Amino acid sequence: MSQPLGQPAYVLHSRAYRETSALVDFLTPQGRLRAVLRSARGKAGTLARPFVPLEVEFRGRGELKNVGRMESAGVSTWLNGEALFSGLYLNELLIRLLPSEDPHPAVFDHYAATLLALAEGRPLEPLLRSFEWRLLDDLGYGFALNTDIHGEPIAPDGLYRLQVDAGLERVYLLQPGLFNGTELLAMAEADWSAPGALSAAKRLMRQALAVHLGGRPLVSRELFRKP
């Protein structure tokens, strides 16, 4: 599949390749692309870092592209502390979940907007939950938060478990990993001021993501662990 010239891109990950090159994973509106960057120790190499908006020309028709041209396309997003960890988490999620060369322009736009929000110091948890939810939905793994697997409205006093391949199922016996209806309805409205909504959303997204991550933990999650 030929790629349009000079498309917007972000670096998700880069590693040394052969003597002077780098193997770079890019996020573009056309999907996740892997490409060889020649002379990575020169000027181009200084641009090949995360959170820098780029314009990149990709060459080649195979799965492994070559970077023909790469230029800065705006102001770099400076992230520090937990905002930096959050950005690295987003990058790892995209590398693990986004299929190669599968166009998802909405994911690209939401990623760029989330980086800006992180740089502005907005609360991290709502941003991360929103990104996870939008990513799952755009990849076709989303599910309703205000109705159950039978199409019935979520009951505020109900208890629910997540059936990853179907949605939320009401249950009547206590068991680990359940969600109450008020939490789910708050999530559906993105009402993060509701008691327990953010912590429940974190648990829900972990359950939803786990099956698609193939049982392999995310390295970037370890950055958030307190010593």
Side-chain angles (χ1 to χ4, degrees):
M1 184 176 87
S2 62
Q3 300 297 326
L5 298 180
Q7 62 179 303
Y10 284 92
V11 169
L12 296 176
H13 185 261
S14 176
R15 65 179 184 270
Y17 180 69
R18 295 181 176 169
E19 291 187 2
T20 61
S21 300
L23 196 60
V24 185
D25 284 293
F26 291 93
L27 176 67
T28 79
Q30 297 302 310
R32 180 176 58 82
L33 303 180
R34 179 166 291 178
V36 175
L37 175 65
R38 312 288 178 186
S39 303
R41 296 177 185 175
K43 179 182 177 182
T46 63
L47 288 176
R49 52 190 175 86
F51 319 130
V52 178
L54 301 169
E55 183 176 287
V56 184
E57 176 189 338
F58 295 99
R59 297 175 180 171
R61 295 180 178 273
E63 186 173 338
L64 183 60
K65 314 294 182 189
N66 287 291
V67 175
R69 175 176 60 85
M70 185 167 68
E71 299 173 355
S72 175
V75 179
S76 301
T77 304
W78 293 101
L79 303 178
N80 297 291
E82 290 198 340
L84 174 60
F85 301 159
S86 298
L88 295 174
Y89 171 70
L90 300 185
N91 286 6
E92 189 176 6
L93 266 186
L94 290 167
I95 290 172
R96 294 280 297 275
L97 295 182
L98 199 60
S100 178
E101 298 192 66
D102 187 11
H104 287 283
V107 169
F108 181 88
D109 290 342
H110 193 206
Y111 174 82
T114 303
L115 291 185
L116 289 176
L118 289 172
E120 291 169 357
R122 288 171 53 186
L124 301 179
E125 293 292 331
L127 291 174
L128 295 180
R129 302 296 81 81
S130 173
F131 187 86
E132 291 164 342
W133 176 257
R134 292 275 294 274
L135 178 60
L136 285 171
D137 193 51
D138 209 67
L139 293 176
Y141 305 139
F143 50 90
L145 289 168
N146 55 6
T147 58
D148 66 15
I149 59 175
H150 303 295
E152 296 294 326
I154 294 294
D157 60 347
L159 291 175
Y160 296 84
R161 65 183 175 189
L162 177 63
Q163 300 281 19
V164 175
D165 58 346
L168 295 160
E169 179 185 25
R170 188 167 186 178
V171 296
Y172 296 90
L173 294 175
L174 284 176
Q175 53 190 276
L178 297 184
F179 303 90
N180 67 56
T182 55
E183 293 169 344
L184 295 168
L185 292 171
M187 288 182 225
E189 297 295 326
D191 178 10
W192 304 121
S193 65
L198 269 177
S199 59
K202 186 173 185 176
R203 288 193 298 112
L204 182 66
M205 287 298 96
R206 287 213 171 188
Q207 290 183 24
L209 287 165
V211 67
H212 306 298
L213 292 171
R216 292 167 44 218
L218 289 163
V219 176
S220 53
R221 277 183 180 159
E222 297 300 317
L223 298 172
F224 290 94
R225 294 188 183 276
K226 304 296 184 185

